[in-house]
């Protein structure tokens, strides 16, 4: 009964003191709205930006440079059709050792790796008789791995991207095509074979960059024709897509563990400083938000204590007619909680609606707007905690008043 | 039967004094104003008996209101003892004093002290807080007492929407709604005209007589209640000086 009375009197007070009530509720609603906004917007933009950064920096091309010509000598070279000085497996313009399917599978099984794909880079003497060309054999069934490290469909300038099963079609790099006046549909001789140019592509400078791109099986077939002894299904590089930027370093460590300490891993490291910078921005946003939230809560405290000062006559009269301190405390606390609950609900509703209406889905964190119940709980509980402090401050103010002193002033 | 004999004996012999509703002994109260001590009450002794109307006259600043507030527990004396129906008021906790005041004392103020933002009904109802009545019961009881004071059609009016006389009656309704044993009226007619003062007394005096309650009225000047006073005091220089003798109350 006493709590019902307190709520009833509190609700009446809120309705009667509309301006003060609106001020207090506005403070609480801003607190909730800021909590929701800061939790979703920087979180969403952070996730979206992280996705972008992942595209840039969460990939790597790993290979094992061959330290000496004799090295581990997995392959031997034909002296008839193969000139060891000019042809062979290269990665990053240096001779490299082979990497086999079981190693790639081990890398793929790493918990930090989203996908790993074999990549074969072979330097072949130019059919024009002068110079060498670098061929890139892509496992076209694994676009996740190759599109960010070697060449992507979006980088087609002319023609169409080759597809798995294309054994006689290749793509040539734009600068290469220009040098030899090649265009989509032209024929190109590689070794003893002719290939149709399916596309002219223009990938950015990457460790896996080649002059000519073809499917992995097609290049393997071609390589066999250039070597006397050739182990089945080789590759000399592995294209790795890390699970995310934050897993990138761990993924690199896993690759090194599989390929050995002599392996080289080329990757774009923008993600790490990028994410650090984003973290700084996000932290700054949080710090500013916390300051604003504290200010809003202090404002609510100020409004409620001011309200008590303005109502000292009312409080004095109520105490004179027999209201106990407990009654006053319950009423002030009930008012405070009602302010917080109404204000927080309004803030949550408003900010949630605005986010739903205006924030693109890609900026939303995983699970969407309802994916973070802890945010909604915080948006409600922090104002309620603030209301407890504000209510207590108001009560202290009220209890600091002496009824007799108040009555003397009336 | 035994009780009957005793009662008859009491009535016949008129021997037993009733207990006073309130007994104040050696009440001292001083204030410090700008470093200077001002003694307001200098050993006030007062007893008020059931059914008695005590009027205390005195000039402004003599401490009439202070005495009332001390009796009601709103203020505390520097020293002295206040017994309300033998209960030492000054030994009660803050909570107990508030409850005691709500249940036992009806306060009537010179300027009515109605809460401006509350309606007449709500002002009266405020005195019924936390007494285990439902909201409907409280409203009904407040409405009933207001209707009894011819304010049945003004329940939802704010004090500023009422005449002075109506405000006075709302204040009276609030003071009487808990059926208190003691009414403390501080300059109750100080802000009203003679007709309103007479109307107010027309409510209060019968209530006291019928209820066998007691009333302490303070006034700074002539006041119609003086005519109804059973005992009249003058508060001067911090002490109470009897002006009109107590009638039958000490041998009541």
């Amino acid at each position: 009964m006493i709590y019902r009375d307190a709520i009833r009197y509190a609700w009446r007070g809120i309705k009667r003191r509309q301006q003060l009530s609106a001020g207090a509720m506005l403070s609480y609603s801003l607190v909730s709205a800021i909590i929701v906004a800061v939790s979703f917007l920087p979180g969403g933009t952070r996730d979206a930006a992280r996705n972008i950064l992942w595209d840039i920096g969460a990939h790597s091309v790993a290979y094992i440079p061959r330290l000496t010509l004799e090295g581990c000598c997995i392959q031997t070279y034909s002296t008839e059709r193969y000139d060891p000085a000019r042809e062979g497996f290269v990665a990053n313009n240096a001779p490299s050792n082979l990497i086999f399917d079981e190693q790639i599978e081990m890398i793929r099984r790493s918990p930090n790796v989203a996908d790993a794909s074999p990549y074969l880079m072979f330097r072949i003497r130019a059919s024009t008789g002068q110079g060498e060309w670098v061929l890139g054999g892509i496992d076209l069934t694994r676009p996740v791995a190759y599109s960010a490290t070697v060449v992507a469909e979006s980088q087609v300038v002319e023609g169409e991207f080759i597809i798995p099963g294309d054994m006689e079609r290749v793509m040539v790099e734009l600068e290469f095509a220009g040098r030899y006046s090649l265009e989509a549909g032209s024929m190109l001789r590689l070794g003893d074979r002719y290939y149709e140019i399916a596309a002219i592509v223009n990938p950015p400078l990457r460790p896996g960059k080649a002059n000519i791109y073809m499917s992995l099986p097609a290049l393997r077939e071609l390589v066999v024709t250039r070597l006397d002894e050739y182990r089945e299904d080789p590759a000399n590089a592995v294209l790795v897509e890390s699970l995310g930027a934050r897993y990138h370093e761990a993924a690199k460590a896993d690759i090194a563990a599989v390929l050995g300490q002599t392996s080289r891993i080329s990757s774009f490291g923008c993600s790490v400083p990028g994410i650090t910078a984003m973290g700084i921005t996000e932290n700054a946003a949080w710090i500013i938000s916390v300051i604003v939230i504290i200010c809003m809560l202090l404002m609510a405290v100020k409004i409620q204590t001011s309200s008590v000062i303005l109502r000292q006559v009312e409080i004095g009269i109520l105490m004179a007619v027999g209201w106990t301190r407990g009654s006053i405390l319950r009423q002030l606390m009930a008012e405070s909680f009602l302010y917080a609950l109404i204000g927080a609900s309004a803030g949550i509703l408003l900010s949630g609606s605005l986010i739903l209406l205006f924030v693109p889905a890609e900026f939303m964190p995983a699970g969407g707007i309802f994916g973070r119940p802890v945010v909604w709980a915080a948006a409600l509980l922090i104002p309620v905690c603030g209301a407890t402090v504000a209510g207590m401050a108001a009560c202290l103010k009220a209890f600091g008043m002496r009824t007799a002193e108040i009555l003397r002033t009336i | 039967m035994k009780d009957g004999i005793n009662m008859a004996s009491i009535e016949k012999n008129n021997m037993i004094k009733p207990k006073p509703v309130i007994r104040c002994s050696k009440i001292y109260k001083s204030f410090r104003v700008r470093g200077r001590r001002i003694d307001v009450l200098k050993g006030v002794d007062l007893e008020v008996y059931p059914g008695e109307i005590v009027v205390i006259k005195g000039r402004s600043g003599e401490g009439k209101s202070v005495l009332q507030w001390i009796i009601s527990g709103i203020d505390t004396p520097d020293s002295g003892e206040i017994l309300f129906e033998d209960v030492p008021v000054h030994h009660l906790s803050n909570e107990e004093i508030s409850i005691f005041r709500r249940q036992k004392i009806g306060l009537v103020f010179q300027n009515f002290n109605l809460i401006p933002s509350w309606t007449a009904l709500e002002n009266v109802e405020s005195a019924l807080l936390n007494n285990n009545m439902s909201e409907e019961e409280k409203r009904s009881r407040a409405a009933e007492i207001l209707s009894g004071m011819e304010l049945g059609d003004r329940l939802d009016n704010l004090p500023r929407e009422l005449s002075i006389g109506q405000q006075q009656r709302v204040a009276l309704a609030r003071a009487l709604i808990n059926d208190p044993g003691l009414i403390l009226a501080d300059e109750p007619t100080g802000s009203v005209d003679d007709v309103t003062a007479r109307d107010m007394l027309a409510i209060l005096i019968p209530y006291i007589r019928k209820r066998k309650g007691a009333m302490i009225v303070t006034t700074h000047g002539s006041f119609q209640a003086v005519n109804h006073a059973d005992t009249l005091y003058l508060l001067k220089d911090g002490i109470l000086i009897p002006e009109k003798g107590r009638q039958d109350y000490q041998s009541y």
Side-chain angles (χ1 to χ4, degrees):
Chain A
M1 186 71 79
I2 57 175
Y3 292 103
R4 267 180 54 189
D5 272 351
I7 292 169
R8 194 162 60 89
Y9 280 112
W11 179 241
R12 181 194 295 169
I14 288 171
K15 285 194 294 184
R16 300 273 162 82
R17 290 179 295 277
Q18 290 177 352
Q19 282 186 336
L20 271 171
S21 303
M25 286 192 277
L26 184 65
S27 301
Y28 289 121
S29 64
L30 283 174
V31 168
S32 295
I34 289 168
I35 291 168
V36 171
V38 171
S39 301
F40 278 101
L41 294 183
T45 50
R46 176 196 58 213
D47 289 351
R50 185 167 286 170
N51 287 337
I52 293 165
L53 288 170
W54 283 356
D55 287 343
I56 296 168
H59 331 283
S60 49
V61 178
Y63 58 95
I64 308 167
R66 208 175 71 186
L67 300 177
T68 65
L69 275 177
E70 287 73 31
C72 58
C73 298
I74 293 168
Q75 74 274 30
T76 57
Y77 303 114
S78 163
T79 52
E80 290 180 7
R81 289 177 293 163
Y82 176 77
D83 176 357
R86 296 172 66 190
E87 290 200 343
F89 299 107
V90 292
N92 222 8
N93 287 322
S96 71
N97 288 337
L98 292 182
I99 298 169
F100 299 101
D101 280 353
E102 53 267 32
Q103 291 172 296
I104 294 166
E105 186 56 36
M106 284 172 72
I107 292 170
R108 198 176 286 143
R109 282 203 298 268
S110 157
N112 302 305
V113 167
D115 199 8
S117 163
Y119 185 51
L120 184 59
M121 294 184 84
F122 189 77
R123 188 165 64 197
I124 192 171
R125 275 174 291 167
S127 56
T128 53
Q130 285 191 333
E132 300 85 32
W133 297 338
V134 176
L135 309 179
I138 309 163
D139 180 355
L140 290 165
T141 60
R142 295 187 178 279
V144 172
Y146 71 71
S147 56
T149 48
V150 179
V151 61
E153 203 164 346
S154 61
Q155 291 150 2
V156 171
V157 176
E158 182 190 344
E160 59 182 25
F161 206 81
I162 54 175
I163 56 172
D166 267 335
M167 296 299 286
E168 295 173 349
R169 297 207 310 162
V170 297
M171 301 184 295
V172 298
E173 188 258 329
L174 183 63
E175 189 272 332
F176 181 85
R179 198 189 322 156
Y180 294 100
S181 301
L182 299 172
E183 56 187 30
S186 305
M187 297 303 287
L188 179 67
R189 187 163 72 87
L190 297 171
D192 301 330
R193 297 184 174 198
Y194 284 88
Y195 297 86
E196 181 192 348
I197 296 173
I200 310 293
V201 293
N202 187 25
L205 188 63
R206 286 170 174 174
K209 185 161 180 166
N211 299 122
I212 299 154
Y213 300 100
M214 56 207 303
S215 73
L216 183 61
L219 183 54
R220 280 171 173 167
E221 271 192 15
L222 178 61
V223 168
V224 168
T225 65
R226 311 298 294 170
L227 302 176
D228 285 339
E229 188 181 318
Y230 181 61
R231 180 174 163 167
E232 280 187 1
D233 300 336
N236 66 330
V238 55
L239 311 177
V240 181
E241 172 76 18
S242 304
L243 205 58
R246 71 171 62 182
Y247 304 101
H248 194 51
E249 290 304 314
K252 283 163 70 178
D254 292 345
I255 296 165
V258 172
L259 299 184
Q261 291 309 310
T262 58
S263 62
R264 296 287 182 270
I265 302 167
S266 292
S267 69
F268 296 93
C270 323
S271 57
V272 176
I275 287 169
T276 307
M278 268 189 330
I280 293 167
T281 310
E282 193 182 342
N283 289 344
W286 269 110
I287 289 168
I288 291 167
S289 302
V290 167
I291 291 169
V292 173
I293 286 169
I294 290 170
C295 289
M296 289 293 116
L297 291 176
L298 287 176
M299 189 186 289
V301 173
K302 179 70 184 164
I303 288 171
Q304 286 178 241
T305 50
S306 303
S307 159
V308 167
I309 294 167
L310 290 172
R311 292 159 61 194
Q312 65 173 351
V313 169
E314 176 184 321
I315 291 170
I317 293 170
L318 289 174
M319 292 182 86
V321 299
W323 280 42
T324 61
R325 285 185 166 196
S327 314
I328 301 287
L329 181 141
R330 277 188 292 274
Q331 194 196 334
L332 292 176
M333 291 305 288
E335 274 180 28
S336 194
F337 285 129
L338 284 174
Y339 284 146
L341 287 175
I342 295 168
S345 303
I348 287 170
L349 212 62
L350 188 68
S351 56
S353 307
L354 290 176
I355 286 172
L356 273 177
L357 282 174
F358 296 111
V359 178
E362 60 266 28
F363 285 90
M364 294 299 291
I369 197 162
F370 300 110
R372 290 183 174 175
V374 68
V375 170
W376 302 109
L380 193 65
L381 287 178
I382 289 175
V384 168
C385 292
T388 310
V389 175
M392 296 302 286
C395 289
L396 284 175
K397 200 75 173 175
F399 296 159
M401 300 170 180
R402 293 187 62 238
T403 311
E405 297 296 336
I406 296 169
L407 293 179
R408 269 184 208 110
T409 64
I410 300 174
Chain B
M1 193 63 187
K2 190 179 175 184
D3 285 345
I5 292 168
N6 283 342
M7 286 306 294
S9 171
I10 289 163
E11 284 176 8
K12 184 179 177 184
N13 297 319
N14 202 13
M15 291 290 289
I16 298 176
K17 284 184 182 179
K19 287 181 180 175
V21 178
I22 193 96
R23 175 184 288 149
C24 303
S25 309
K26 303 276 182 283
I27 301 295
Y28 285 84
K29 180 72 178 177
S30 63
F31 294 97
R32 196 161 284 280
V33 180
R34 293 184 184 176
R36 185 170 150 247
R37 180 181 152 140
I38 298 171
D39 294 316
V40 178
L41 302 178
K42 302 172 186 171
V44 169
D45 293 310
L46 177 67
E47 287 184 353
V48 184
Y49 291 87
E52 184 179 13
I53 296 170
V54 172
V55 175
I56 299 171
K57 289 201 305 179
R59 289 184 305 175
S60 292
E62 288 286 354
K64 303 184 297 295
S65 298
V66 172
L67 179 59
Q68 292 238 11
W69 292 341
I70 286 174
I71 291 170
S72 65
I74 288 174
D75 211 344
T76 49
D78 295 340
S79 63
E81 188 176 58
I82 302 143
L83 295 173
F84 187 95
E85 293 172 350
D86 288 340
V87 175
V89 175
H90 58 291
H91 286 169
L92 299 177
S93 68
N94 276 334
E95 293 286 300
E96 289 167 332
I97 285 177
S98 295
I99 295 166
F100 146 79
R101 190 160 57 239
R102 186 167 71 227
Q103 293 175 343
K104 305 283 187 182
I105 295 179
L107 286 166
V108 182
F109 302 94
Q110 177 182 5
N111 48 7
F112 321 136
N113 282 354
L114 297 175
I115 296 171
S117 59
W118 292 21
T119 64
L121 187 72
E122 289 163 352
N123 266 287
V124 176
E125 209 188 330
S126 69
L128 293 174
L129 184 83
N130 298 346
N131 62 356
N132 292 324
M133 292 169 79
S134 71
E135 189 181 338
E136 289 70 31
E137 284 175 301
K138 285 178 191 173
R139 290 182 70 85
S140 160
R141 187 157 162 193
E144 186 185 347
I145 194 165
L146 281 168
S147 297
M149 293 186 182
E150 297 174 358
L151 289 169
D153 56 344
R154 309 306 298 270
L155 302 181
D156 296 323
N157 285 102
L158 295 174
R160 67 169 179 271
E161 296 164 344
L162 301 172
S163 69
I164 295 292
Q166 287 168 329
Q167 289 180 40
Q168 177 69 287
R169 277 180 277 158
V170 172
L172 276 179
R174 183 180 63 187
L176 300 181
I177 194 164
N178 282 316
D179 195 19
L182 176 65
I183 301 285
L184 297 176
D186 186 16
E187 307 270 11
T189 55
S191 304
V192 297
D193 57 37
D194 287 347
V195 176
T196 307
R198 194 177 59 229
D199 289 347
M200 190 195 74
L201 290 172
I203 296 167
L204 275 177
I205 302 297
Y207 171 83
I208 297 299
R209 301 299 187 210
K210 186 179 170 190
R211 165 74 172 74
K212 287 275 188 278
M215 180 160 74
I216 301 173
V217 181
T218 58
T219 178
H220 64 272
S222 60
F223 170 54
Q224 297 185 49
V226 170
N227 300 329
H228 297 273
D230 300 308
T231 311
L232 184 61
Y233 289 100
L234 176 66
L235 182 59
K236 191 177 179 188
D237 297 330
I239 53 170
L240 278 180
I241 303 162
E243 285 205 336
K244 178 181 175 186
R246 178 166 283 123
Q247 296 176 343
D248 300 327
Y249 295 98
Q250 293 189 34
S251 57
Y252 180 67

